[in-house]
Structures are given as structure tokens and as C-alpha cells.
Amino acid sequence: MHTTQGKESLYTFSWFMSGSNSSPHGFVSFSCLSHSHTRLPGPVNAWPFGFVWTVRAWRQQNIWWIKSKELFETHGSTIGFRVFSSYSILTQDPECVRAIVTGSADLFPKGHLYKHLGLLPGGIFTTNGPRWRRDRRLLTPHFNFSAVSTFVPSFNAHVEEFLNALRQRCLTPRGTQDKSNDDRFESEASQEKAPGVVLDMVQAFNRLTLDIIFDAGFGHDLHAVRQVPCRAAPLSDTALPCASAAAYKTSLDEITGDPSEKVEPLLHESGDKESDEIAEALRIAFTEVAQRLTDPLPVLKYLPRRYYRAKKATQVFRRVIDKAVMERRKRGEEQANEKEPGVGDRQGNLLDLMIAVHEEGTWCTDEMLAQSMTFLIAGHETTSAMLTWTLMELGERPDLWLKLRAEVDRVCGVSAPSSPWPSPSPRSSSRIDASHVDRMPFLRCVLKESLRMHPPVTIISRRILKDLEVAGYLIPKGWHVGVSIYTLHRSPALWERPDEFWPERWEEGPGARGKDTVRRCSVGDGMAHLDQKHFDNGTVPSLPHVPVSGGKQGGVTLPSFDGNQAPPTQDQRISEIAEESREEAATNPATGTSRGPLKSPFQYMPFSLGPRNCIGQRFAMTEASIILARLVRDWDVTLVDRAATVQRVELLTVRPDRLLCKLQPRQVYPLSPVRCGARESAAACSP
Ligand code: HEM
């Protein structure tokens, strides 16, 4: 075995992979490079900054994703590098991933940089140790199956609002948006119908998911989708039933370049006045946090311009959350005699929990604020990025779009409206509920494949607190280990046709479907099951010093803990993930092999794996499934931007810079009026 043992350096370098060995004084030490890491292959580390300077440049040029692939091709699946005077490794080796994610969260905590990343300290994303375990236990029940299914009506309501606003734009001749809705639809027959609208789906999904997370978190409707900028599509181009490379005949300039076509909001009725302000504050927060990822020195965040912008954004969050808390308390008083909300109750949203925990004295006001900001930031841009990437891929593949539509029609039912223009009023049949989602395996495959090709979170990092043997090297404790999710998901050694969008790779054998589809809907959550199961049935290890007690508090049931339960062992964790992966690896009809797409349970981790995996993955998958299914069922979508021209934006998440699409109410319905079966629908739904 090679060794990389050495003296720990003194300085916390603030790049994502680093920041471990902070000196109490924060001095930069150039002196103590006694690590002999050179035996671990890796890039050249230019003095004094080391590799971070190169990474910074690559990120600025937006080529990090290409270069990171090259790095692994050149040096192997685990590379070592220096960042200032600290050492880190970056890996795409499933065995290394296994060692990290199956280890205890205490042995592989998040590094100091995570703290430095947060605009406010104390959120669950950044904390470690007992505090993180306490908060994870408190929050987990809000993201289990039953809790997430209580959000389904809200997902439907918000997507309905978005689609109705789209329909209104399609039915409204230009310049008549000030008419009341009723007038507009009464005189629908006499109006010139716009062929569709063109909008940037990055913005549309961003605002939609913001509305959803805000509602889920605070029970407050921002109506941010109403403000999505869009413009009517040119009349000359009405006959594009679905996105297709062949049908693509409208150039970007034709649609976007007409100066007489004013960009307008989806609906003139404004949303909540705060929505724009919050969207802007979130944008600032994202940009600031992303900048901190590559700051050569942590103190740069105190540069006056940056500092005050970040402070202003934090103040917006603080004000909004304070207001939500006040409103909630007032509502609570008014409802004092009515049924009390509880966990799993739609009214028992995160805010209720936070207020309860705050009143109990466990979270101070700043902690409550930090948790809220964490959910706002972690909970909408990620899902929005997933949806945008998915639409981009489907837009390039009409065959997949139709296959998916056929599945949605079959499972959710579709009745062709008497006119090609669906009624603007919500149809009760239009709702898609959790049981529909469970019965749409191809939809799940599409989302999983999208998360494989375009994981919104591309790297995670852990500090190692015990020596770790990786790929024949001994990595000393104190180093940082980064997992490159993006390259792991694209590794030719692990995936067949890694750069191809191929949802069928996830299809299961005929016997594999059934009641476990609900569970399998949670993508990549091998370890999550273990932890979630333990949380759900109360067998998670407890912390003696957790002050939170079980029972009702402020209308919310706080989880109670049994301090005698043993934590899951590493073997248990491994076998859980392996079991999950075995299920995934059931006979794969697409490949004809019995191996399925996964060679290792640790090669697919869009939501990370292990105890610190994404707490919101069920929420995100259910939300995305409903949004996508409704869009596919009721709308024809044509890409205006082509996938090849879309630029990646690497901030905290990775998303397309923009995705202009043309949306039209669906034109072609299945021949069978109510339901169309899986096979016939593919043909019947074809244009
Ligand atoms: C497609 C959507 C999403 C993706 C790809 C995603 C991905 C991830 C990943 C990779 C992590 C681990 C980060 C790390 O270890 O550095 C994470 C953690 C986390 N995510 Fe998500 N996420 C998504 C949606 C959500 C949603 C909707 C929420 C909340 C409603 C959420 C809340 C969180 C939180 C609180 C953590 C920290 C958990 C902990 O440390 O215990 N995420 N997510």
C-alpha cells in the first residue's frame, strides 16, 4: 500500500475540497507541506495556490465539466491535489464512494467550507455532529412517504396555476390582457387564438418550484409563476405537434428576434409583490455561494460590495420568514379551537415544525431562519434544474416524448376536449396523484436518466476523520474527499453509452414492477431507506443531549427518541444499498443482460447516498413527476433553443443558462376518447 501520511497543514483553504485543518488564528501557512501526496496521481499543483487556481479558471470559462472528465481519463479514477497547503482527493471510484457513504456521518463530516458557504450558519445542510443529527431527526418525518403525499394537492394546484396562465396567454389576443378573465373566455370564440407562447423554461420551472417550496415550507402562495416573462409565438408556425428535430423549423431569431413582440409576464395580474424580490434575493444568494466555492481566500466574502449584497439578500429572507411566522401564529390563534394540525397533516408544514421547535427552545431565531433559507435554496433550484434538463432531452427526442405521453394518458386518463383549446378552468380529472405517479415507470426512468446525465449537484465533499484506504493508497485523516457525481455518472467504465440519453436503461423486467414501485421512486436513495426506515419507525440512534422531547408542541407532533437504540452498522448500511441496487439490476429488457444498468450500488448518486443524502429527494421526485406528467399530457412543447447550443451554468447547481421553448395546448389526442392503452396509444397519439 502506498502512503500519503503526513503532517496536517495549518490553514483552511476555502475551496470546496478543502478547508479542513483550520488554524485557530486563520493564518496562511506556506511552510508545512510535508505530505507526500505525489504518489497519488493528479494534476500539477502550481505554487502557491495549488490546483484551485486552475479549477477557478476552468469554472470561469465554464469548462470544468469537460476538464474534470479529462483529469480522470488521464490520472485514473482517484486523483490527489493540493489546495494551498491542504491536500484533497477527488474520486469517481465506486469503491471510494462506498467507503465514504457507508461510514458514519461523524467520521465523514462536511468540511468547514460548507459553513463558509451558508449565508447564515446553523442550517441542516452545513452542520455536523449532534446538532445535525438532532435536526435531521426533527425534519425527516416531514419528508417521508406519507408527508410528501400530503403535498401532492399543492403540487397540482401550482402546476395548474402555471398551465392556466399559459392557456390564458394562448387564448388572449395581444394587447387584451387587461380584460377580466371571464370576459376573455366568454368571447373566446370571436378571438384570434395565439398559436402558443414562447418562454424560457429555466425561469418558468424556477418560479414554479419556488412557489411550491414556499407553499410547502410556509403555507404561503407567492404566485411567482405569473411573472414568468413570455411572448406569443409567431402565427406562421402553428403546426408543431411536439418537439422534433425534423419539425424544428423556426429559428431562434424568428421567435425571439421580432422587436414588436414585447416580452410580457404570463399574467398581468401580479403575483405576490414579494415574489420578484425573493427571486432576486435567491439569485444573489446562489451567485454569492457559488463564488465562495472558488474564492482563493475566505475573507473575500467580506469585500464590501459582496458583503452588502449578501446581507441585503439575507434581510429579504429574514423579513419574509418573520412575516410568515407572524401570519402563521395569528392563524394558529384563530384556529385554536379547531382541529390541531400535526405532522403529515397538510397544515403541519415546515413552518409549524419550526415554530414548535423554536418555542420549545431548541432552535433560536437565527437557526430557524437558517433552516428556512436552507430549504428555500436547496429545495427549488435543484428540482427546477432537473426539470429543465429533462425537457431539453425530451425535446430532442420526439419518440421518447410520445412514449411518455402514451404512458401518462394510459395511467392518468385523457379525454380530448371538444375544442382543441382545453378549458381554462381546472378540470378535476386533470389532477395527478401519488398513485398515478407510482404507476408510471417510464416517467421514473426518464427522470432517473436525466439525473444521471445532468445531476444538478455535481460534487459533494467530506472531511475524513480516520485514515482511509482508497485504491491502494492510505489517505490520512484530516484530508478532504470529493466525489465527482457528474463524472461518476458518465464514466464509460461503469455505463454503457454514457453520453446518450437512454431512459430504457432503467426499465425493469416484467416481474419487477409492483408494489415496491413507490419505494423505487426514490432515486438513488439506497442508504436513505435505511435511515428513513429507522427514522420512520423510531429506531434511529438517539442523542443523549438532544433537548427536544416527543409530543405535541404548538400543534405539531415532535418526534420522540429512544436513546437505547443501536445505530446501524456499516455492514447494515452496505447491505441496504446493495439490496437497493440488486433491485435496480433486475433483468433489463433494453440491454438483454441480467445485470441492469448498475455495476455497483455506488455508481449512481444524484441525491448522494448515506446518512447525509438529500432529505428532500422524495419531495423532489414526486413534484417533478407531477409537473412533467401534466406538461406532457396537455401540452405540445417545441424546443426553440437546441440542446447543442445550451450553455451549462455552474453555480451551486448545474443548469442550462436558458431553454426557450414554444408551448401550445395539445393538438392531437388519442383516437380512443377516454383512455388509450399502452400499445395503441403510441400510434394513436402520433401526429
Ligand atoms: C432534483 C432535486 C434535488 C437534488 C438533485 C438534490 C441533491 C442533493 C445532494 C447531492 C445532497 C447532498 C449534498 C452534500 O452532501 O453536499 C443534498 C442534500 C440536501 N438536500 Fe437535496 N436535492 C434535491 C432536492 C431537494 C429538495 C426538494 C429539498 C427540500 C425540500 C432538499 C433539501 C436538502 C437538504 C436539507 C440537504 C442536506 C441534508 C443533510 O445534510 O442532512 N433537496 N441534496
Side-chain angles (χ1 to χ4, degrees), residues 180-306:
S180 83
N181 286 351
D182 290 349
D183 291 352
R184 205 161 42 230
F185 294 119
E186 270 166 26
S187 58
E188 177 194 332
S190 63
Q191 290 186 358
E192 172 200 358
K193 287 162 185 161
V197 286
V198 175
L199 66 165
D200 176 6
M201 293 310 290
V202 172
Q203 293 214 35
F205 284 141
N206 232 304
R207 301 227 169 192
L208 179 56
T209 51
L210 177 61
D211 276 349
I212 288 175
I213 194 71
F214 216 80
D215 188 9
F218 309 111
H220 182 77
D221 205 342
L222 282 178
H223 300 297
V225 279
R226 295 182 182 177
Q227 297 303 306
V228 174
C230 67
R231 62 175 71 199
L235 288 165
S236 58
D237 186 23
T238 53
L240 299 177
C242 71
S244 124
Y248 176 77
K249 55 189 161 84
T250 310
S251 76
L252 183 65
D253 286 348
E254 261 177 87
I255 285 186
T256 59
D258 180 355
S260 65
E261 284 283 355
K262 237 175 63 207
V263 172
E264 292 179 357
L266 255 186
L267 271 192
H268 277 292
E269 304 153 27
S270 84
D272 192 312
K273 287 220 176 77
E274 275 159 346
S275 72
D276 277 345
E277 209 181 358
I278 294 172
E280 176 61 8
L282 279 168
R283 198 191 56 75
I284 293 173
F286 257 81
T287 318
E288 172 60 26
V289 170
Q291 201 160 358
R292 290 181 189 185
L293 281 178
T294 48
D295 273 347
L297 296 170
V299 290
L300 289 182
K301 71 179 175 195
Y302 295 113
L303 286 174
R305 193 160 162 270
R306 280 177 58 183

Side-chain angles (χ1 to χ4, degrees), residues 300-362:
L300 289 182
K301 71 179 175 195
Y302 295 113
L303 286 174
R305 193 160 162 270
R306 280 177 58 183
Y307 178 76
Y308 285 109
R309 271 162 55 98
K311 196 169 162 194
K312 220 172 133 196
T314 314
Q315 277 165 354
V316 171
F317 294 131
R318 194 182 284 270
R319 204 189 57 235
V320 168
I321 291 161
D322 278 352
K323 191 174 140 202
V325 170
M326 262 171 50
E327 277 173 7
R328 187 71 195 99
R329 284 197 170 128
K330 209 169 127 206
R331 265 205 317 276
E333 281 162 21
E334 286 165 8
Q335 294 167 349
N337 295 327
E338 295 171 21
K339 174 183 164 278
E340 286 197 337
V343 171
D345 190 318
R346 176 63 193 87
Q347 286 185 310
N349 57 30
L350 276 179
L351 194 65
D352 293 320
L353 174 83
M354 285 184 215
I355 293 173
V357 180
H358 177 56
E359 283 173 353
E360 211 209 32
T362 305

Side-chain angles (χ1 to χ4, degrees), residues 267-570:
L267 271 192
H268 277 292
E269 304 153 27
S270 84
D272 192 312
K273 287 220 176 77
E274 275 159 346
S275 72
D276 277 345
E277 209 181 358
I278 294 172
E280 176 61 8
L282 279 168
R283 198 191 56 75
I284 293 173
F286 257 81
T287 318
E288 172 60 26
V289 170
Q291 201 160 358
R292 290 181 189 185
L293 281 178
T294 48
D295 273 347
L297 296 170
V299 290
L300 289 182
K301 71 179 175 195
Y302 295 113
L303 286 174
R305 193 160 162 270
R306 280 177 58 183
Y307 178 76
Y308 285 109
R309 271 162 55 98
K311 196 169 162 194
K312 220 172 133 196
T314 314
Q315 277 165 354
V316 171
F317 294 131
R318 194 182 284 270
R319 204 189 57 235
V320 168
I321 291 161
D322 278 352
K323 191 174 140 202
V325 170
M326 262 171 50
E327 277 173 7
R328 187 71 195 99
R329 284 197 170 128
K330 209 169 127 206
R331 265 205 317 276
E333 281 162 21
E334 286 165 8
Q335 294 167 349
N337 295 327
E338 295 171 21
K339 174 183 164 278
E340 286 197 337
V343 171
D345 190 318
R346 176 63 193 87
Q347 286 185 310
N349 57 30
L350 276 179
L351 194 65
D352 293 320
L353 174 83
M354 285 184 215
I355 293 173
V357 180
H358 177 56
E359 283 173 353
E360 211 209 32
T362 305
W363 286 344
C364 66
T365 311
D366 271 3
E367 274 177 303
M368 189 167 75
L369 195 63
Q371 303 294 6
S372 311
M373 280 176 62
T374 301
F375 282 100
L376 275 187
I377 292 178
H380 92 286
E381 168 104 5
T382 41
T383 315
S384 150
M386 159 164 68
L387 281 163
T388 318
W389 287 120
T390 310
L391 203 63
M392 185 193 84
E393 291 293 351
L394 288 176
E396 291 288 348
R397 290 283 305 275
D399 55 325
L400 296 179
W401 178 272
L402 291 178
K403 183 172 174 181
L404 183 57
R405 178 175 270 180
E407 180 179 83
V408 179
D409 284 355
R410 179 173 51 81
V411 173
C412 307
V414 60
S415 52
S418 49
S419 99
W421 306 96
S423 156
S425 59
R427 285 176 294 158
S428 53
S429 63
S430 61
R431 258 190 60 169
I432 292 181
D433 61 36
S435 69
H436 291 128
V437 172
D438 297 340
R439 284 181 284 128
M440 293 192 278
F442 190 63
L443 174 63
R444 193 170 57 247
C445 295
V446 165
L447 290 173
K448 285 177 87 162
E449 182 65 350
S450 167
L451 285 170
R452 183 191 69 79
M453 279 194 76
H454 308 286
V457 179
T458 52
I459 292 186
I460 60 160
S461 155
R462 298 287 180 269
R463 184 182 173 197
I464 52 175
L465 295 187
K466 70 165 191 185
D467 292 352
L468 182 69
E469 196 193 327
V470 173
Y473 294 92
L474 186 67
I475 312 296
K477 66 179 179 187
W479 282 36
H480 274 69
V481 180
V483 177
S484 171
I485 300 177
Y486 174 75
T487 53
L488 181 70
H489 286 187
R490 297 277 192 122
S491 163
L494 298 169
W495 301 93
E496 205 180 329
R497 292 144 67 178
D499 294 325
E500 188 181 321
F501 187 73
W502 180 27
E504 286 88 351
R505 78 172 78 236
W506 298 101
E507 280 181 339
E508 300 154 20
R513 293 186 196 135
K515 72 184 180 58
D516 72 335
T517 46
V518 180
R519 195 161 75 78
R520 295 158 66 79
C521 185
S522 316
V523 177
D525 61 350
M527 255 289 290
H529 294 323
L530 181 76
D531 285 338
Q532 189 80 45
K533 264 190 288 192
H534 283 258
F535 282 123
D536 288 351
N537 64 22
T539 58
V540 275
S542 177
L543 298 168
H545 34 274
V546 171
V548 174
S549 56
K552 285 229 165 194
Q553 180 78 23
V556 171
T557 309
L558 299 174
S560 59
F561 308 113
D562 172 3
N564 299 322
Q565 296 290 343
T569 63
Q570 187 169 20

Side-chain angles (χ1 to χ4, degrees), residues 110 114 124-125 132 136 143 213 374-375 378-379 382-383 386 451 456-457 460 462 606-608 612-616 619-620:
K110 291 190 174 177
Y114 278 86
I124 185 177
F125 198 87
W132 165 76
R136 178 98 189 187
F143 294 95
I213 194 71
T374 301
F375 282 100
T382 41
T383 315
M386 159 164 68
L451 285 170
V457 179
I460 60 160
R462 298 287 180 269
F607 293 104
S608 184
R612 297 220 61 163
N613 67 355
C614 175
I615 201 171
F619 187 98

